[in-house]
């Protein structure tokens, strides 16, 4: 079968033939409906070096945002998994036995250091292929919902959902402000989730005008780039600052801008892996404010993200690419030319 393979550190992936996988014990074989191209994949193949945090040893098939139809199951899988039905796949894979894994937070597995890979599509073969194997207990039924549009929810939906729900105590209570920086795959869905879960005023920013326009359509007030960006954002809050900020870029300038917009007691979540740093000391931060990072989300979170999608509260904007054009999806993502999420559809006819 054809697959998008990350072959060597620092190299653009290739579209190549690999053997069709077979489901091992506890696994399901998915015929892939959609595999989202996440900006993190660019870090995986362009930036990371062996041994660096986040680096996963090549070669493996990319694609950690997957949905598809169950084709077969391996030994020991419950017959509650319905062959032929559409499912969303939760990507992170922990040891399955520690306290974090027991609560479905495989992202924060206490034994991650001894695991051979991070996730399906991150160290273990992913869904940018006609078929992928996934742990069967990571499958969430999609029912009649479109599995192609659903695919990005596995990361571009789950990651903002997790970051936002951790920050909800800061956003409830009336008169609150949220700031979303970076309106790509994650940020656009982040705005939709904030709208659905809070009454906070949502301020959003991106360097791209089209991305700001789409966020406005979802209910945000937007601010463009520029030297007075922080003053404009603070002015929208009446000068007090934002109660929660979500930086879906995480570069030096965006972390600095977010930090400068925070209200007392606010929570800044750095989600983007752009490498920006932040000084935290007594006089450099508003009183009782928090700076944190969040990584992906739990399987429990993903069940709710799927419900929000089925309820129409999350409306992923997807651009579909055939398997022939799978590498083009990554080229355009790198060039900043994708709006919403690029989804590769290996089995589209
Ligand atoms: P994307 O390429 O789809 O979107 C990025 C957006 O940020 C684009 O709209 C771009 O125009 C905008 N942007 C870039 N620089 C900017 C700047 N200086 N100011 C304002 N906007 C700017 O990316 P994505 O897939 O949504 O991923 C976003 C980030 O989150 C990446 O760093 C990715 O690696 C990271 N990520 C983190 C997690 C996690 O678990 N923490 C999970 C998935 C992705
Ligand atoms: Zn674990």
């Amino acid at each position: 079968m054809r697959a998008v393979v990350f072959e060597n550190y620092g190299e653009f992936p290739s579209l190549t033939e690999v053997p069709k996988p077979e489901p091992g014990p506890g696994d399901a074989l998915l015929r892939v409906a959609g595999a989202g191209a996440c900006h993190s994949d660019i870090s995986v193949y362009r930036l990371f070096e062996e041994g660096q945090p986040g680096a996963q040893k090549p070669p493996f098939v990319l694609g950690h945002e997957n949905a598809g139809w169950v084709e077969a199951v391996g030994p020991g899988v419950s017959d509650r998994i319905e062959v032929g039905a559409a499912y969303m796949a939760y990507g992170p894979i922990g040891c399955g036995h520690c306290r974090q894994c027991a609560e479905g937070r495989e992202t924060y597995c206490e034994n991650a250091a001894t695991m051979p890979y991070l996730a399906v599509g991150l160290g273990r073969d992913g869904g940018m292929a006609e078929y992928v194997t996934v742990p069967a207990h990571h499958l969430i039924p999609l029912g009649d919902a479109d599995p192609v549009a659903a695919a990005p929810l596995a990361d571009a939906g789950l990651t903002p959902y997790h970051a936002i729900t951790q920050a909800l105590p800061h956003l409830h209570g009336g008169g609150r402000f949220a700031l979303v920086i970076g309106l790509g795959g994650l940020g656009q869905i982040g705005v939709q989730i904030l709208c659905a879960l809070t009454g906070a005023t949502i301020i959003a920013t991106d360097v791209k005008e089209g991305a700001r326009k789409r966020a406005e359509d979802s209910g945000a007030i937007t601010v463009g780039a520029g030297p007075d960006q922080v003053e404009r954002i603070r002015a929208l809050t009446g000068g007090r600052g934002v109660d929660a900020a979500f930086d879906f870029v995480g570069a030096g300038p965006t972390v600095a801008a977010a930090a400068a917009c925070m209200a007392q007691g606010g929570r800044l979540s750095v989600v983007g892996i752009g490498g920006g740093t932040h000084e935290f000391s007594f006089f450099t931060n508003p009183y009782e404010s928090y700076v944190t990072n969040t990584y992906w989300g739990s399987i429990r979170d993903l069940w709710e993200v799927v419900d929000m999608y089925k309820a129409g509260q999350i409306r992923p904007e997807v651009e579909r690419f055939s398997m022939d054009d799978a590498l083009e999806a990554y080229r355009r993502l790198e060039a900043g030319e994708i709006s919403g999420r690029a989804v590769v559809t290996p089995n589209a006819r």
Side-chain angles (χ1 to χ4, degrees):
M1 65 171 190
R2 285 188 307 166
V4 176
V5 179
F6 163 44
E7 313 252 21
N8 290 302
Y9 288 115
E11 276 178 25
F12 193 72
S14 54
L15 182 60
T16 184
E17 275 299 312
V18 300
K20 180 178 171 182
E22 285 192 11
D27 280 350
L29 178 70
L30 273 193
R31 189 161 66 88
V32 178
C38 176
H39 205 108
S40 298
D41 288 335
I42 300 174
S43 295
V44 165
Y45 63 73
R46 284 271 184 236
L47 300 179
F48 291 161
E49 290 164 12
E50 178 134 30
Q52 204 180 323
Q56 294 298 309
K57 207 175 174 51
F60 59 87
V61 177
L62 290 172
H64 57 267
E65 289 185 341
N66 308 309
W69 304 276
V70 170
E71 174 98 351
V73 295
V77 173
S78 156
D79 59 10
R80 291 191 183 89
I81 296 288
E82 200 186 324
V83 173
Y87 289 88
M88 160 76 76
Y90 176 70
I93 299 184
C95 72
H97 303 287
C98 69
R99 281 166 299 182
Q100 293 286 2
C101 287
E103 294 195 29
R105 282 190 296 271
E106 302 204 20
T107 40
Y108 299 150
C109 173
E110 291 171 4
N111 299 310
T114 60
M115 289 295 293
Y117 38 69
L118 276 181
V120 169
L122 291 167
R124 164 173 165 158
D125 284 339
M128 289 267 169
E130 285 154 45
Y131 294 91
V132 63
T133 62
V134 299
H137 70 284
H138 283 188
L139 293 176
I140 299 173
L142 284 170
D144 295 337
D146 174 12
V148 175
L153 299 179
D155 187 0
L158 175 55
T159 300
Y161 175 89
H162 183 76
I164 289 164
T165 49
Q166 297 302 303
L168 284 180
H170 298 264
L171 291 170
H172 285 156
R176 305 298 172 113
F177 294 89
L179 173 63
V180 177
I181 299 180
L183 300 166
L186 274 64
Q188 293 291 349
I189 296 179
V191 168
Q192 295 171 10
I193 293 172
L194 280 163
C195 267
L197 300 184
T198 82
T201 300
I202 303 159
I203 304 169
T205 182
D206 195 289
V207 288
K208 293 194 288 191
E209 193 184 343
R212 295 199 300 272
K213 175 75 180 64
R214 282 189 302 284
E216 285 167 14
D217 293 344
S218 297
I221 300 170
T222 69
V223 170
D228 60 345
Q229 188 188 47
V230 168
E231 289 91 279
R232 280 182 289 149
I233 293 169
R234 292 196 76 96
L236 289 170
T237 67
R240 63 185 281 274
V242 301
D243 302 284
F246 305 93
D247 183 351
F248 294 115
V249 180
T254 58
V255 174
C261 289
M262 300 311 298
Q264 285 190 26
R267 176 178 163 119
L268 162 53
S269 308
V270 179
V271 182
I273 62 175
T277 58
H278 173 70
E279 182 193 340
F280 197 102
S281 61
F282 191 88
F283 288 114
T284 58
N285 290 267
Y287 294 127
E288 299 200 16
S289 64
Y290 303 74
V291 178
T292 189
N293 52 1
T294 60
Y295 167 52
W296 219 338
S298 69
I299 191 163
R300 180 179 187 273
D301 294 332
L302 189 56
W303 276 85
E304 184 161 13
V305 168
V306 168
D307 281 353
M308 292 179 77
Y309 168 63
K310 289 178 178 170
Q313 292 170 315
I314 297 177
R315 302 166 301 280
E317 181 198 357
V318 304
E319 202 173 329
R320 297 167 194 238
F321 290 78
S322 68
M323 203 61 191
D324 290 339
D325 292 333
L327 297 182
E328 182 62 12
Y330 279 112
R331 271 193 211 98
R332 296 205 18 225
L333 181 63
E334 285 194 38
E337 293 169 5
I338 298 291
S339 83
R341 203 47 139 197
V343 176
V344 175
T345 60
N347 288 292
R349 279 172 242 295

